[in-house]
Amino acid sequence: MKEKIIEIIADAIVELNEELEYEELENVTADTAIFGGESGIDSLSLVSLVVEVEGQVNDEFDANVTLADEKAMSSRNSPYRNVTAFAEFIMTKLGEEA
Amino acid sequence: MLNPAQLLQAFPNRLALIWQEQRISYSQLGELVTQQTKWMVDNEIVSGSVVGLKGDFSDRSIPLLLALLSQKFVVALLPSGRADLDVLCNLVQADVLIDTSRDEVVVEKLERSADYHPLIQELFANNEAGFVIFSSGSSGRPKPILHNLNRFLKKYERANKPFVTLTFLLLDHIAGIDTLFYVLFSGGTLVAPQERGASAICKLIEGAKVEVLPVSPSFLNLLWLSGDFDQHDLSSVRIVTYGSEPMTQQNLDHVQVMFPNAAIKQKYGTSEFGSPASKSRGNDQLWIKLEGDHFQTKVVDGILFIKSDTTMLGYLDDSEPMFVDGWYNTGDQVEVDGEWMKILGRDSDLINVGGEKVFPSEVEAVVQTVDGVIESSVYGESNPITGQIVCAMVYLQADADRKATKKLIKRACADQLARYKVPVRIKFSDTPLTNQRQKKIRAG
């Protein structure tokens, strides 16, 4: 399941990067930084990515989770900091719903 | 009469501007203004005309703006990120377009299609300077708002706290102009960023020891999400101000964690009259009090009205100003508790993406042009990252491919609209949108 989620996130990043053309996003791995620090994307791209992944995850797992909510914002370690963190956040969300 | 360039003589040795690696004193800034004045003469840009000015805060745009205003021009501050600058210049009958946003300053002489607006003619007749801010008008057409410079500057005469201030808010926004003049009048230091990502801003705060941080709630939200605040020393920040969009309690709580030493103040303002001095009830509070000699407020039926000496001269298009007996109807709903009030925002279709306003109709107009689209309804959805996001509900022709059309819609919007206006979520409806349920989505 985690692999599938990482794949969904990676695909969405690659698609997003068709327009951004950031070198560091050409090869997406579990460690790829998404938001924060030197690398990564801006807020509009982040929102777009999160909504896209949300749609794909809900289709794939026949779920209805929201991936941008107060909980996502409240932690001192953002779930959007890298691919693994985002995938783990999504798994928690799916687990809560099941 | 006030001459903005004279301002610079009050504190010759103080630091006026930090831009890139440069540290420019007030006397050096004065020299730059003189150079720009000469440059204008060389380029046959003559007083008593209207100039469209494009560019972010820089060592070029700031002295040029001060030179233009001192020489009694009317300066239209052109919004960044718009492709239709010729349309905007035409709205104000600009004679020249100056673009300082590139490495080389570009000057373009324009042909006016009509006489200046009577309000501009009056300014010129009285030998006064003015400036124009474009606010997002209904249907997305920008509304040109004309201010009399002298009248606008009155409220800064008592500016006396010379802080090191980050110019986060753009020069073409009324809040950016507010930052500029407050700092120059008080003898403070402007710190102009070249990019506005969380990491870049944190570095700048740390390096320049920024004391005042006037930002948007969205930026504060992103700063929290990025985690960058933990990687830098932000302890120089004494005041954080925010405005332009609703602030959530959660976001406000995070701001206190990120800036434990800072006073956190909400600002309220509009392009029509600028921003009065304000006081927040507490660092953790969304209640504010608007004060200052030049502003009066009253609340009628839950709507905020403002009367101010710094109010605009008027709109330069056919927009009707919302004045009742000299009181300006802000259209903003407020909650009142004694002398305090809480700004609830507008009850309208307007979508607020990180402080930038989006009108559904302007997005719908583009979505409508995409092959296969029969109908669309654009609406806002709340989102903790940018406050709201733009969403579109679309009804397609039966044979249209949804996935392909979604891409086409995004591309068409990206080509024709500012980035924040591009729908983030696109949903497809199986039925025409004319029924009540769909209409409601938009109203909600």
Side-chain angles (χ1 to χ4, degrees):
Chain A
M1 186 174 164
K2 191 172 175 183
E3 284 73 43
K4 183 67 205 172
I5 294 173
I6 288 180
E7 191 187 318
I8 289 173
I9 298 170
D11 286 350
I13 292 176
V14 168
E15 197 185 312
L16 181 75
N17 201 39
E18 280 173 18
E19 279 165 47
L20 299 176
E21 295 177 353
Y22 291 165
E23 219 171 280
E24 66 267 24
L25 294 182
E26 274 168 15
N27 293 306
V28 181
T29 68
D31 298 327
T32 298
I34 302 178
F35 190 77
E38 294 291 320
S39 59
I41 56 182
D42 73 358
S43 60
L44 289 172
S45 296
L46 176 66
V47 162
S48 178
L49 177 73
V50 171
V51 168
E52 182 60 31
V53 170
E54 185 179 288
Q56 298 288 341
V57 164
N58 285 335
D59 279 355
E60 177 71 29
F61 300 101
D62 195 22
N64 190 22
V65 294
T66 303
L67 299 182
D69 59 8
E70 287 216 351
K71 198 180 158 211
M73 307 296 296
S74 63
S75 151
R76 208 171 165 123
N77 286 317
S78 153
Y80 312 127
R81 61 189 184 278
N82 58 41
V83 173
T84 301
F86 193 22
E88 280 164 5
F89 174 70
I90 294 170
M91 286 179 59
T92 312
K93 281 279 181 180
L94 287 170
E96 282 168 7
E97 205 193 47
Chain B
M1 210 178 286
L2 259 167
N3 179 337
Q6 281 168 2
L7 267 181
L8 308 175
Q9 296 163 10
F11 319 99
N13 300 320
R14 286 199 200 166
L15 192 56
L17 171 66
I18 298 179
W19 190 74
Q20 293 185 332
E21 299 303 308
Q22 300 181 61
R23 300 170 85 86
I24 298 168
S25 70
Y26 274 81
S27 65
Q28 286 168 323
L29 186 57
E31 284 162 27
L32 290 176
V33 173
T34 310
Q35 281 174 24
Q36 293 303 316
T37 311
K38 279 205 196 102
W39 175 86
M40 278 150 44
V41 174
D42 293 345
N43 282 275
E44 293 168 348
I45 300 167
V46 290
S47 296
S49 55
V50 179
V51 171
L53 180 64
K54 186 188 171 196
D56 196 358
F57 285 99
S58 72
D59 66 339
R60 191 75 205 249
S61 66
I62 297 170
L64 181 57
L65 176 61
L66 295 175
L68 288 165
L69 293 174
S70 300
Q71 301 293 319
K72 315 299 178 206
F73 281 80
V74 167
V75 184
L77 297 154
L78 302 169
S80 48
R82 280 191 80 103
D84 57 348
L85 294 185
D86 48 334
V87 176
L88 300 183
C89 282
N90 193 42
L91 268 179
V92 298
Q93 298 302 337
D95 303 279
V96 191
L97 167 62
I98 306 177
D99 184 352
T100 66
S101 66
R102 308 178 212 186
D103 291 342
E104 289 273 311
V105 174
V106 180
V107 179
E108 193 185 335
K109 297 278 167 73
L110 307 168
E111 286 287 324
R112 271 191 280 131
S113 60
D115 269 344
Y116 298 128
H117 189 282
L119 291 171
I120 292 183
Q121 291 184 23
E122 204 182 312
L123 272 181
F124 288 152
N126 294 330
N127 194 26
E128 291 205 80
F131 65 92
V132 178
I133 295 275
F134 293 89
S135 87
S136 35
S138 54
S139 78
R141 199 180 59 149
K143 262 196 289 196
I145 296 172
L146 178 67
H147 283 274
N148 173 320
L149 180 73
N150 267 303
R151 201 155 111 177
F152 189 82
L153 293 184
K154 260 188 206 156
K155 69 170 170 174
Y156 302 102
E157 282 168 8
R158 286 213 249 157
N160 56 5
K161 299 190 183 82
F163 288 126
V164 179
T165 304
L166 188 80
T167 58
F168 181 85
L169 304 161
L170 296 170
L171 187 54
D172 57 79
H173 281 48
I174 196 86
I177 288 288
D178 188 59
T179 306
L180 174 72
F181 286 124
Y182 189 93
V183 172
L184 293 183
F185 270 77
S186 63
T189 305
L190 298 160
V191 180
Q194 287 177 280
E195 44 173 322
R196 289 178 168 76
S199 165
I201 294 293
C202 286
K203 262 193 214 152
L204 205 51
I205 293 174
E206 190 173 38
K209 301 227 177 327
V210 168
E211 295 171 302
V212 180
L213 194 60
V215 286
S216 63
S218 276
F219 175 76
L220 292 165
N221 208 11
L222 292 172
L223 190 56
W224 173 265
L225 259 187
S226 71
D228 289 321
F229 67 93
D230 259 345
Q231 314 299 319
H232 299 269
D233 177 8
L234 307 183
S235 61
S236 58
V237 177
R238 298 164 60 171
I239 301 172
V240 177
T241 67
Y242 63 92
S244 85
E245 57 178 320
M247 177 73 142
T248 64
Q249 190 65 51
Q250 187 190 34
N251 193 359
L252 192 53
D253 295 342
H254 292 160
V255 178
Q256 294 174 81
V257 175
M258 295 189 287
F259 300 98
N261 308 322
I264 302 165
K265 271 171 71 168
Q266 185 177 0
K267 296 284 282 179
Y268 176 82
T270 78
S271 305
E272 281 83 357
F273 55 76
S275 176
S278 62
K279 196 172 189 173
S280 284
R281 205 176 199 172
N283 272 0
D284 58 345
Q285 298 266 329
L286 294 166
W287 293 93
I288 61 166
K289 189 159 68 176
L290 303 182
E291 347 176 83
D293 305 341
H294 302 284
F295 288 87
Q296 286 172 270
T297 60
K298 70 173 180 183
V299 177
V300 180
D301 296 333
I303 302 285
L304 176 64
F305 284 73
I306 289 196
K307 198 182 219 174
S308 163
D309 316 342
T310 64
T311 303
M312 63 171 180
L313 293 174
Y315 297 118
L316 297 178
D317 61 5
D318 52 7
S319 307
E320 286 290 324
M322 309 261 281
F323 284 103
V324 184
D325 298 332
W327 289 89
Y328 173 75
N329 179 347
T330 66
D332 278 317
Q333 292 192 311
V334 293
E335 214 177 298
V336 179
D337 179 14
E339 58 182 349
W340 301 94
M341 60 187 187
K342 197 191 243 178
I343 314 281
L344 303 173
R346 271 151 206 250
D347 180 21
S348 73
D349 287 350
L350 197 90
I351 306 166
N352 193 324
V353 181
E356 301 281 4
K357 296 177 180 72
V358 183
F359 285 85
S361 53
E362 59 180 323
V363 183
E364 283 164 5
V366 177
V367 176
Q368 225 66 43
T369 62
V370 174
D371 276 352
V373 173
I374 299 176
E375 267 186 297
S376 69
S377 171
V378 169
Y379 57 97
E381 194 180 278
S382 72
N383 182 290
I385 301 171
T386 50
Q388 279 192 301
I389 56 173
V390 178
C391 303
M393 178 64 84
V394 184
Y395 179 54
L396 293 182
Q397 286 166 3
D399 59 348
D401 178 84
R402 289 187 171 184
K403 208 174 166 191
T405 310
K406 190 168 149 182
K407 273 201 161 177
L408 287 177
I409 292 173
K410 286 204 175 188
R411 192 166 307 152
C413 290
D415 285 347
Q416 295 175 54
L417 299 169
R419 258 182 86 214
Y420 60 87
K421 296 179 182 174
V422 177
V424 169
R425 197 192 294 285
I426 298 173
K427 290 182 182 174
F428 294 102
S429 169
D430 297 327
T431 54
L433 304 182
T434 40
N435 69 51
Q436 281 310 305
R437 194 183 64 80
Q438 303 292 1
K439 293 267 179 208
K440 249 201 184 136
I441 288 180
R442 175 143 157 207

